[in-house]
Amino acid sequence: MPDHPKHITRALLSVSDKTGLVDFARRLVELGVALVSTGGTRKAIAEAGLPVMEVSDVTGFPEMMDGRVKTLHPAVHGGLLAVRENPSHQAALLAHGIALIDLLVVNLYPFEATLAAGGNFDDCIENIDIGGPAMIRAAAKNHADVTVVVDPTDYEAVLAELAAHEGATTLELRRRLAQKAYARTASYDAAISNWLAGQIDMDTPPYRALGGSLVEPMRYGENPHQSAAFYKLPESRPGVATARQLQGKQLSYNNINDTDAAFECVAEFDPARTAAVVIVKHANPCGVAEGASLRDAYEKALACDPVSAFGGIVALNRTLDAEAAAKIVEIFTEVIIAPDATDEAVAIVAAKKNLRLLVTGGLPDPRAPGLGLRTVAGGFLAQARDNAVVDDMELKVVTKRAPTEAERADLVFAFRVAKHVKSNAIVYAKGATTVGIGAGQMSRVDSSRIAAWKAAEAARAAGLPESLAKGAVVASDAFFPFADGLLAAAEAGATAVIQPGGSMRDEEVIKAADEAGLAMVFTGHRHFRH
């Protein structure tokens, strides 16, 4: 492929996002570039007093079918696809009176924005671009000769090259822009195909397309030797991907992962019912609590595991206020994420220049459907988001003793938290506060013992005479395959248990619970989280 600059003498512009359009068009005209355009793009350029030809004058056909057909024509695609050094291509251009197009500027109909805004089916269909992707792919294929721009942020790079190379662009730039162009159309088609799969309730389409837009490149990934970047999907779910960062240094890969885990967990707690705080370390909650205020909830959550909370992520389900902010900043915290923050709270956090503060404008809906992804060697796993909520489950009492009203409330709380703890997960709770969490162990018995040990450590840290597990309830994310895990909880002082049930040895486990005087309920729902 010849590696020399290609001059731009004629450009076709057709954009839905008109950011910077007029200034870009003006500078092209100043460089002697002839402009061709469509519809609203042409109108904006012409109203700025710039010379511009209507694409219908190039094709000899008017726009038709409500604008669905306007650029799908050989006069356009021939001008984009013709190889300049190919004599037969040049002869075809001459024979059919087709003029070359050296620069294509297209950004697509706003399908993703229409979807995010809750557009109905017909609106979404009408915002599927056809001519745009066709032109983009044609220009990108022929990037040896044609410059293709799909993003207004690239206008300056193109203008800089034109200025530096006497009205030409380099192959290096054209190839980089071509890669971006194909990635853009792929991401666009992914959004459409996944939306359509949802419309027809197709859980396992024969092809699963993925696409996202770059939020920012990261300094490194999970470890310093791993490269990484953060991408945003079309989904408009409130969270770290849609948040505004009010202050603090750049989020790391691990910060983003942990912040997402914390915010998804705290979203399980309805802010209209209670204030709630979740503290996460290494993707696992190390303290969760409800409270009369955010400060009250934070202090209770912190008491569960103050050692692990150091350098953790704090998520809140209500607007961060000054009282809570003042308490949170007393220890080293990496990130605070909340639906919003008061001016006073922002000022308090600002005193810690490296502490990141994110506001999201809302909470994610724990019941909303969605897609979870995980890569494996040679492929990836896709599954529906775990949107089962304990409030919607029928709790079946399986022991002789039913839980008391207070125990039942804590059982629901504990199971709500267990959904967000890595398996095997065991959660002790008392008074709508976690008092011990065992996470990610190969044995459920070990998770029970670790959670009990954490509860004893928390008691010692608080100067209390006995373990916080005494009188607590316990939640398990999956059934107890044997009675030993349940007995470990009983030995620690738990009085009631919530678990999915479904083991071959359920009767053995129920019998052990009865013998220990425990109340136990089954949910019928498992919450494995790997």
Side-chain angles (χ1 to χ4, degrees):
M1 184 179 289
D3 190 8
H4 57 268
K6 293 289 183 177
H7 284 84
I8 293 176
T9 59
R10 193 160 177 258
L12 194 160
L13 301 87
S14 180
V15 297
S16 58
D17 179 359
K18 295 177 175 56
T19 303
L21 169 68
V22 171
D23 287 342
F24 184 56
R26 179 176 289 110
R27 292 171 70 179
L28 289 176
V29 170
E30 290 169 355
L31 290 166
V33 177
L35 305 184
V36 180
S37 192
T38 63
T41 306
R42 180 190 174 280
K43 181 180 179 183
I45 295 171
E47 287 179 348
L50 300 173
V52 57
M53 180 181 288
E54 173 61 58
V55 75
S56 60
D57 295 331
V58 173
T59 64
F61 281 84
E63 290 188 17
M64 60 182 71
M65 301 176 187
D66 299 318
R68 286 188 171 199
V69 179
K70 51 192 171 188
T71 59
L72 297 169
H73 194 280
V76 172
H77 287 271
L80 291 170
L81 284 165
V83 176
R84 275 47 169 177
E85 286 78 19
N86 187 313
S88 67
H89 288 201
Q90 293 302 312
L93 292 172
L94 184 61
H96 297 285
I98 298 173
L100 294 171
I101 299 171
D102 309 302
L103 169 65
L104 177 73
V105 182
V106 172
N107 52 62
L108 304 171
Y109 289 178
F111 173 83
E112 296 104 327
T114 303
L115 183 60
N120 62 35
F121 186 89
D122 289 341
D123 286 341
C124 288
I125 289 293
E126 285 308 311
N127 277 281
I128 296 175
D129 203 328
I130 301 301
M135 290 191 292
I136 289 170
R137 291 175 59 81
K141 175 174 180 174
N142 201 27
H143 68 269
D145 295 313
V146 179
T147 304
V148 56
V149 178
V150 297
D151 186 344
T153 62
D154 290 317
Y155 290 168
E156 285 303 320
V158 172
L159 292 170
E161 288 232 339
L162 295 177
H165 299 283
E166 299 180 344
T169 60
T170 63
L171 177 60
E172 180 183 1
L173 176 67
R174 294 194 303 275
R175 187 168 285 170
R176 179 169 62 81
L177 291 175
Q179 184 281 326
K180 187 173 187 177
Y182 279 120
R184 176 65 188 112
T185 57
S187 177
Y188 191 75
D189 285 343
I192 296 166
S193 66
N194 286 322
W195 168 72
L196 276 173
Q199 292 296 306
I200 59 177
D201 296 324
M202 182 178 286
D203 295 329
T204 57
Y207 294 93
R208 174 66 78 178
L210 302 174
S213 57
L214 180 67
V215 176
E216 61 180 348
M218 323 219 73
R219 288 189 298 127
Y220 56 83
E222 200 164 9
N223 298 292
H225 62 279
Q226 295 172 270
S227 61
F230 184 27
Y231 291 87
K232 183 182 183 301
L233 295 170
E235 183 182 33
S236 58
R237 187 174 179 83
V240 65
T242 59
R244 286 189 301 123
Q245 184 170 345
L246 300 186
Q247 75 135 61
K249 60 184 180 179
Q250 182 190 26
L251 291 161
S252 71
Y253 178 100
N254 292 329
N255 289 153
I256 290 171
N257 190 52
D258 289 353
T259 302
D260 177 71
F263 203 56
E264 288 288 332
C265 183
V266 85
E268 299 278 348
F269 298 88
D270 182 0
R273 181 182 64 81
T274 184
V277 171
V278 174
I279 306 173
V280 160
K281 190 70 169 289
H282 294 298
N284 273 306
C286 59
V288 182
E290 298 177 3
S293 66
L294 288 175
R295 177 170 180 142
D296 179 41
Y298 172 75
E299 289 177 332
K300 291 177 179 177
L302 180 65
C304 177
D305 191 348
V307 174
S308 296
F310 186 84
I313 311 294
V314 177
L316 308 97
N317 71 338
R318 291 179 176 175
T319 297
L320 175 66
D321 55 39
E323 186 182 26
K327 191 64 182 177
I328 293 170
V329 300
E330 287 182 2
I331 69 167
F332 171 54
T333 300
E334 290 274 9
V335 182
I336 301 172
I337 184 169
D340 206 345
T342 66
D343 291 341
E344 294 83 0
V346 172
I348 291 168
V349 176
K352 304 289 184 179
K353 65 178 183 178
N354 289 330
L355 172 56
R356 296 90 159 178
L357 175 58
L358 306 179
V359 294
T360 63
L363 290 168
D365 179 1
R367 294 179 175 85
L371 193 66
L373 302 170
R374 175 164 295 181
T375 59
V376 297
F380 63 88
L381 295 166
Q383 68 170 345
R385 177 186 290 124
D386 182 359
N387 61 354
V389 175
V390 66
D391 297 317
D392 303 331
M393 300 173 191
E394 182 180 351
L395 305 187
K396 179 182 178 183
V397 178
V398 295
T399 49
K400 294 175 181 177
R401 184 174 78 81
T404 66
E405 186 176 337
E407 286 174 330
R408 185 181 179 89
D410 279 341
L411 288 171
V412 169
F413 171 89
F415 202 68
R416 202 187 303 278
V417 175
K419 173 181 173 181
H420 295 271
V421 178
K422 299 287 187 180
S423 299
N424 287 313
I426 296 292
V427 176
Y428 287 81
K430 183 164 53 179
T433 302
T434 57
V435 296
I437 299 173
Q441 298 303 303
M442 293 71 75
S443 161
R444 193 160 299 278
V445 178
D446 287 345
S447 287
S448 282
R449 289 169 177 162
I450 288 171
W453 172 74
K454 286 280 191 180
E457 286 291 295
R460 277 191 285 273
L464 299 174
E466 62 180 7
S467 170
L468 296 180
K470 296 289 185 182
V473 305
V474 64
S476 174
D477 64 335
F479 61 65
F480 288 100
F482 300 97
D484 50 3
L486 179 137
L487 292 173
E491 290 171 9
T495 63
V497 180
I498 185 170
Q499 58 136 318
S503 168
M504 292 175 61
R505 295 180 177 84
D506 272 350
E507 291 305 316
E508 176 186 325
V509 174
I510 293 169
K511 181 181 178 183
D514 281 332
E515 290 175 352
L518 299 176
M520 185 161 64
V521 299
F522 285 179
T523 66
H525 286 77
R526 189 179 74 184
H527 279 312
F528 269 168
R529 187 177 183 85
H530 292 100

